[in-house]
Amino acid sequence: MNKKTVRDIDVKGKRVLMRVDFNVPLADGKVTDDTRIRAALPTIQYLIEQGARVILMSHLGRPKGEVKPELSLKPVAERLSELLGKPVKMAPDCVGPEVEAMVAELQPGDVLLLENTRFHPEERKNDPAFAQQLAKLGDIYVNDAFGSAHRAHASTEGVAHYLPAVAGFLMEKELNFLGKALEAPERPFVAILGGAKISDKIGVVKNLLGKVNALLIGGGMANTFLQAQGYDMAESLVEQDSLDTARSLLEEGKGKIFLPTDLVVADAFDADANSKVVSVDGVPAGWRALDIGPETVEHFKSKLAGAKTVVWNGPMGVFEFPAFAKGTVAIARTLAELEDAVTIIGGGDSVAAVKQAGVADKITHISTGGGASLEFLEGKTLPGVAVLLDK
Ligand code: ADP
Ligand code: MG
């Protein structure tokens, strides 16, 4: 990675304004999954040890530029305090005189969490005056919110124009894993794409085609490719508008793109639907494909055997229904068992599927950024990264 990190800058005694991704699920005023808070701990702990004054900021949910008490970061401050084993002060807002006064009172090693940045409409507009108000709170800006780096908002991009800006350890880790996979992967390099829609992932297919040794496509997006090849997909999710694109991608990726040869079809989009395995040329009228079939699983496994780098985004089927999760679980287990391979998974649903399969700890890198990892795989420069200081 060619961006400066917190290691490259003197933070001792400094006010360090750090963007984190604390956009966590809440229920009854409690954090129900603290994965994202834990992911930011290494950088926070480093800053505390270095004697910095730590000022954290994040968005939470979609308050649409208004104060919504149920989207306050207060429960996050409580959870963070438990994880750090020290008090975390909570600010009533993210800008303004009261917050500035709280910052002025911070001692080296203290931690303050600012209130939800999206309580202000200026955050998403990347308003320069608002970004300057944020910048007033710090001497140094650290971005550790990889999951928000694809958005040019005031707290992820704007503020970095007014302060020396560097990456945190989580940001560094994400960029290292994803960057290496795209720029200098150990080969063979195999990518697996799935999920609901091909239209979400055309850019990813295009960018990966030039880099991978094989591209395995399953899930809903495979249906559009299969229909483009002339198969009748009956009631399956097919994007008619993308058939031409699918055809030209197949042409471009000849010999590299591998599609399902069999499917698990259902007579309804339902967890309890009747289901059976059919060949891709045998989807019955009125039925729909909800998973890849066992022959496809074996075929994909054979393509993954011996891979040294694997990137996976998008489940192989409607894994939310146990009857249609088999393909996704089988691929997750295959990745978990690969020896000497760097395995990387990105995408909110894909990560959930791998956790559901119980093999998350056997994956080399699980990206914390859904949209951000997708844009990275498309080859786009993330605005929140571009603005950080080069090494
Ligand atoms: P990610 O969040 O990992 O990027 P996506 O959001 O692109 O993944 O896709 C996940 C969704 O795709 C899941 O909700 C899953 O049910 C759906 N899906 C997968 N296969 C199919 C299919 N054959 N038909 C309809 N939906 C599917
Ligand atoms: Mg998703």
Side-chain angles (χ1 to χ4, degrees):
M1 195 193 62
N2 64 344
K3 293 294 179 184
K4 283 195 178 169
T5 75
V6 280
R7 265 188 236 97
D8 301 315
I9 197 159
D10 183 17
V11 297
K12 196 170 173 18
K14 301 272 172 55
R15 297 172 304 152
V16 176
L17 179 64
M18 176 153 98
R19 177 57 154 98
V20 287
D21 183 3
F22 284 170
N23 184 28
V24 296
L26 298 176
D28 303 323
K30 289 259 180 263
V31 175
T32 56
D33 181 348
D34 63 5
T35 308
R36 285 181 171 163
I37 305 175
R38 288 173 185 272
L41 289 179
T43 315
I44 298 171
Q45 266 153 348
Y46 174 84
L47 292 172
I48 294 171
E49 281 160 20
Q50 296 289 312
R53 298 165 158 88
V54 186
I55 303 136
L56 303 171
M57 61 179 166
S58 176
H59 79 279
L60 175 64
R62 293 165 188 255
K64 307 231 165 91
E66 288 166 32
V67 177
K68 296 254 167 73
E70 68 276 18
L71 291 176
S72 167
L73 281 162
K74 220 180 245 154
V76 175
E78 282 162 22
R79 185 72 195 117
L80 176 62
S81 167
E82 287 166 15
L83 291 169
L84 288 173
K86 66 181 280 159
V88 172
K89 296 187 184 103
M90 183 69 211
D93 198 348
C94 62
V95 290
E98 205 179 335
V99 179
E100 285 164 25
M102 285 182 87
V103 168
E105 275 169 25
L106 291 178
Q107 298 300 311
D110 281 356
V111 181
L112 172 72
L113 177 60
L114 306 182
E115 188 51 286
N116 195 342
T117 52
R118 285 200 194 163
F119 283 173
H120 294 262
E122 296 91 340
E123 157 74 339
R124 303 197 61 194
K125 288 183 194 140
N126 198 4
D127 178 82
F130 180 70
Q132 270 169 318
Q133 273 191 289
L134 289 172
K136 264 170 89 175
L137 304 174
D139 305 306
I140 293 168
Y141 171 72
V142 176
N143 192 345
D144 212 19
F146 176 75
S148 303
H150 57 311
R151 302 197 175 100
H153 292 170
S155 68
T156 60
E157 201 272 349
V159 62
H161 293 281
Y162 308 107
L163 292 173
V166 300
F169 297 137
L170 174 63
M171 177 70 91
E172 180 187 35
K173 187 169 149 215
E174 293 272 8
L175 295 176
N176 277 342
F177 273 113
L178 292 167
K180 172 137 200 299
L182 294 188
E183 280 152 34
E186 299 284 334
R187 293 185 181 276
F189 173 19
V190 181
I192 312 163
L193 290 179
K197 287 154 103 199
I198 166 179
S199 52
D200 289 345
K201 299 186 181 173
I202 289 168
V204 179
V205 175
K206 280 194 180 143
N207 190 43
L208 288 180
L209 266 185
K211 302 178 187 293
V212 296
N213 298 95
L215 179 57
L216 315 178
I217 298 181
M221 68 184 279
N223 299 332
T224 303
F225 283 103
L226 290 169
Q227 178 130 332
Q229 285 188 325
Y231 296 110
D232 179 359
M233 299 307 290
E235 295 304 308
S236 303
L237 175 68
V238 171
E239 287 170 274
Q240 301 294 336
D241 292 349
S242 297
L243 286 172
D244 285 340
T245 311
R247 241 171 251 126
S248 68
L249 288 172
L250 284 170
E251 186 60 34
E252 202 185 320
K254 238 186 200 146
K256 263 193 191 180
I257 295 186
F258 298 94
L259 294 172
T261 53
D262 65 345
L263 301 159
V264 182
V265 294
D267 63 353
F269 188 88
D270 194 277
D272 301 320
N274 291 307
S275 67
K276 57 185 175 187
V277 176
V278 298
S279 163
V280 285
D281 60 5
V283 181
W287 292 54
R288 71 227 1 91
L290 296 187
D291 197 6
I292 55 174
E295 182 186 275
T296 305
V297 167
E298 287 312 312
H299 184 213
F300 283 7
K301 272 189 181 174
S302 73
K303 292 287 159 201
L304 287 164
K308 288 278 182 286
T309 306
V310 181
V311 170
W312 181 14
N313 169 274
M316 296 290 99
V318 183
F319 73 100
E320 296 94 334
F321 300 156
F324 306 101
K326 292 195 188 82
T328 304
V329 170
I331 296 299
R333 291 204 178 125
T334 304
L335 258 59
E337 283 162 14
L338 281 179
E339 284 179 25
D340 307 326
V342 172
T343 50
I344 301 170
I345 297 182
D349 293 294
S350 313
V351 171
V354 167
K355 286 186 180 164
Q356 189 178 306
V359 297
D361 59 337
K362 299 231 164 59
I363 302 300
T364 317
H365 179 65
I366 293 188
S367 178
T368 53
S373 66
L374 215 54
E375 291 201 17
F376 197 93
L377 294 177
E378 282 179 40
K380 287 190 187 154
T381 309
L382 308 181
V385 176
V387 80
L388 303 178
L389 291 172
D390 288 322
K391 266 217 169 103

